[in-house]
Amino acid sequence: MRIFSGIQPTGRKHLGNYIGAITQYVAGQDRGEAVYCLVDLHATTVPYDPAGLRESVYDTATTLLAAGLDPDRCIFFRQGDVQEHAELCWLLASVTAFGDLNRMHQFKEKSGAQRDLVSAGLFFYPVLQAADVLLYKTNEVPVGEDQRQHIELMRDIAERFNGRYGEIFSVPEARIPEVGAKIMDLQYPDSKMSTTGGSEQGTIYVLDEPEAVVKKVRSAVTDSGTEVRRARDKAGVSNLIEILAAVRGAEPEEVERGFDGSGYGAFKQAVADEVAAYLAPVRERYAELRSDEAELERILARGAERARSIAVETMLDVRRAMGVGPVRVSQ
Ligand code: AMP
Ligand code: TRP
């Protein structure tokens, strides 16, 4: 079974990314052939600083390594190193419905947030994402809840391609965790935790110092009640229950039972301490690994070579099926 996921190299990864996606990437290394990609091409769809992008790729690469990605047990690379992603993106455009792209929630949100230019790249973002996944004939895509629609779209693209040009792609399944697929902002628990849209106080970063984590959790918005249980009108408390369940690898019901009658103060303190302890080893390991950029480049270059060897084969099939590019005489 092949697993693929991509993550934006935006440097400051948060607890939502960590629980929703990164822990699944680490687990994927034991479940199948895992391929993970830092999507620098996607990062160019909104305004960005070119020199900063390279730094952010190193930051995010280091965060993933510190979390437990092992370049010997997965293929770990930078999207821009493997040109086949961009080529397949274009070729998949022929089987992508304009109307479907127009319906993407993420496009609507991100385009609404742009001040001057809404780039065509932002509109095309989901096609590049489909190319990322389909290039590796992927079976499973670990992501958080916010990516569900993009995965549905790539399934449609794969099916339409296979129907029109012949069976080349696997139709991938999303793997969205049961607990922690959508971690909410601690200050605005009706919005998801996010680097771009969220509040600074309500966003726990993977690299936050333990004191900062404790402070953010202790000042999390709750409600005027006292019961530690999940409910529609208790978005803040529900989010904290979900976070603690994910950190403990337990069910949310167990967390609710454990804090029955204890009040919000003790509950928040437990969440604060356990989240801080959960992230501390990652932060420490990050500090050890981040400065050796030459080593990071070596890891990514080796990953790109391994990724390319799969991608090149897929592109031969795709070009042949679509009748583009030179005729290949021998196989
Ligand atoms: P990004 O940093 O946008 O590339 O996201 C990386 C991964 O984290 C994706 O699989 C997202 O679905 C996931 N993710 C982002 N925000 C959250 C959140 N608040 N809760 C859970 N997962 C998230
Ligand atoms: N769009 C994803 C996000 O914002 C990142 C991504 C790019 C991705 N390519 C991918 C995720 C392929 C899964 C598979 O999080």
Side-chain angles (χ1 to χ4, degrees):
M1 184 193 48
R2 191 169 280 149
I3 298 168
F4 181 99
S5 199
I7 186 163
Q8 301 223 48
T10 45
R12 296 179 88 195
K13 292 293 138 186
H14 55 70
L15 186 65
N17 299 132
Y18 196 81
I19 290 175
I22 297 173
T23 56
Q24 295 199 80
Y25 303 169
V26 176
Q29 299 180 117
D30 299 320
R31 299 183 51 254
E33 187 189 353
V35 185
Y36 301 122
C37 176
L38 299 161
V39 296
D40 58 346
L41 300 180
H42 278 105
T44 67
T45 58
V46 291
Y48 74 100
D49 162 37
L53 178 57
R54 290 209 182 280
E55 290 297 312
S56 293
V57 166
Y58 295 144
D59 295 344
T60 307
T62 308
T63 304
L64 295 181
L65 294 170
L69 285 202
D70 175 352
D72 290 329
R73 290 197 301 138
C74 68
I75 297 179
F76 181 43
F77 72 107
R78 171 171 48 203
Q79 187 186 36
D81 289 0
V82 180
Q83 295 182 1
E84 283 75 8
H85 289 248
E87 183 185 0
L88 183 59
C89 173
W90 179 252
L91 295 175
L92 292 180
S94 73
V95 283
T96 305
F98 177 86
D100 287 346
L101 291 181
N102 234 347
R103 276 190 284 279
M104 293 291 119
H105 307 310
Q106 194 164 304
F107 172 68
K108 288 185 195 163
E109 279 161 29
K110 286 196 182 174
S111 59
Q114 299 310 309
R115 279 168 189 265
D116 30 64
L117 177 75
V118 175
S119 72
L122 200 54
F123 188 68
F124 236 62
Y125 180 115
V127 191
L128 181 58
Q129 184 166 347
D132 295 342
V133 172
L134 301 184
L135 196 47
Y136 300 94
K137 301 192 175 174
T138 301
N139 308 107
E140 209 178 82
V141 189
V143 282
E145 178 62 39
D146 62 356
Q147 295 301 312
R148 193 184 285 279
Q149 196 187 28
H150 285 162
I151 310 290
E152 281 302 317
L153 177 77
M154 67 178 70
R155 289 171 56 85
D156 291 346
I157 291 175
E159 280 168 359
R160 199 173 294 119
F161 186 101
N162 288 348
R164 182 173 299 179
Y165 300 114
E167 290 288 323
I168 289 185
F169 295 123
S170 314
V171 180
E173 304 271 348
R175 186 178 170 91
I176 298 173
E178 302 246 316
V179 177
K182 192 173 183 186
I183 300 295
M184 310 305 273
D185 188 290
L186 301 183
Q187 290 297 320
Y188 300 95
D190 294 320
S191 320
K192 71 174 181 186
M193 192 175 280
S194 140
T195 319
T196 44
S199 69
E200 188 65 21
Q201 263 310 302
T203 306
I204 297 179
Y205 294 100
V206 175
L207 302 179
D208 273 347
E209 298 284 335
E211 298 72 32
V213 174
V214 169
K215 197 161 161 224
K216 287 176 183 177
V217 175
R218 286 179 55 105
S219 56
V221 167
T222 52
D223 53 70
S224 56
T226 54
E227 279 178 76
V228 179
R229 64 175 170 84
R230 288 163 302 158
R232 247 175 211 288
D233 58 349
K234 292 166 78 72
V237 170
S238 302
N239 188 39
L240 294 175
I241 292 171
E242 183 110 344
I243 289 172
L244 189 54
V247 164
R248 289 182 174 179
E251 294 299 324
E253 291 77 17
E254 293 173 46
V255 172
E256 288 171 335
R257 272 198 300 278
F259 288 93
D260 190 19
S262 65
Y264 290 167
F267 172 57
K268 277 181 163 184
Q269 189 63 51
V271 178
D273 293 342
E274 291 186 40
V275 171
Y278 178 71
L279 294 177
V282 185
R283 200 182 87 260
E284 286 159 18
R285 188 111 182 82
Y286 180 97
E288 288 164 21
L289 299 173
R290 176 61 181 85
S291 58
D292 194 350
E293 293 186 354
E295 175 61 10
L296 293 171
E297 277 297 343
R298 267 193 296 278
I299 290 170
L300 295 177
R302 189 163 67 92
E305 213 171 287
R306 294 168 67 203
R308 212 176 287 120
S309 70
I310 303 171
V312 163
E313 290 300 316
T314 306
M315 289 313 295
L316 287 176
D317 295 345
V318 169
R319 286 156 156 251
R320 189 184 307 117
M322 292 184 72
V324 302
V327 178
R328 289 213 322 144
V329 182
S330 60
Q331 289 294 320

